[in-house]
Amino acid sequence: MNNLLAETFATVSQLPEAEQNAIASLILDKISAPRVAPFLISQSDIETLEKSYIFRDKTEVIEFINQYPFLLPVLLEAPVKISPYFPEQKLLLQVINDPEIPNYVHLIISIILTDLDPDEAMDREDELRKNWSRGLSHEIREHFYTILEYTDEF
């Protein structure tokens, strides 16, 4: 038995019997609970995403989707939701991690703009948010958003 476990048992053994039983019950419930297999995005879903997105660090994006599988349906529908506002634009999928803000990690869809006027682009983005992304659940918006990005790379 490791030291932490031994210390914990020693501390618990000094508690009243009712509290010992309650703690024991919690521990047994936790260790006997069925284990859920981790989510793994299918190769078919990866291929579908690759048809719609350019990946910036594909491995990191796939790992993020595996960690937050509720994002997958949003990512699969996003190109259809975005295209009425940005019909000819490429979509870049990337994970952003801000080292200055703890736990600030998001999956971002960058809408790559090459020739759209900035004011027009921002108006379209506002409409997209109003009509689609604001309607997404809080849980999704906690880990995902879209941005506009001007670049000559693509």
Side-chain angles (χ1 to χ4, degrees), residues 35-118:
R35 306 257 191 265
V36 176
F39 176 83
L40 294 175
I41 185 172
S42 72
Q43 186 59 39
S44 171
D45 285 334
I46 292 171
E47 290 168 5
T48 300
L49 292 173
E50 287 177 319
K51 291 176 186 172
S52 299
Y53 299 100
I54 300 163
F55 287 84
R56 187 172 286 156
D57 194 340
K58 179 179 172 182
T59 301
E60 187 176 33
V61 169
I62 299 304
E63 287 173 1
F64 195 88
I65 296 168
N66 283 331
Q67 186 176 358
Y68 302 102
F70 53 84
L71 294 175
L72 182 60
V74 176
L75 296 174
L76 294 172
E77 81 169 353
V80 173
K81 299 294 186 177
I82 293 169
S83 68
Y85 304 95
F86 300 98
E88 301 299 320
Q89 311 309 316
K90 295 182 190 276
L91 303 176
L92 174 72
L93 199 53
Q94 62 185 321
V95 175
I96 299 292
N97 183 353
D98 188 336
E100 295 181 10
I101 304 173
N103 301 318
Y104 184 92
V105 182
H106 287 81
L107 187 62
I108 309 295
I109 295 176
S110 294
I111 302 167
I112 305 301
L113 306 171
T114 53
D115 58 1
L116 197 58
D117 173 71

Side-chain angles (χ1 to χ4, degrees), residues 25-39:
S25 179
L26 287 172
I27 292 170
L28 287 173
D29 286 348
K30 183 68 175 171
I31 63 176
S32 64
R35 306 257 191 265
V36 176
F39 176 83

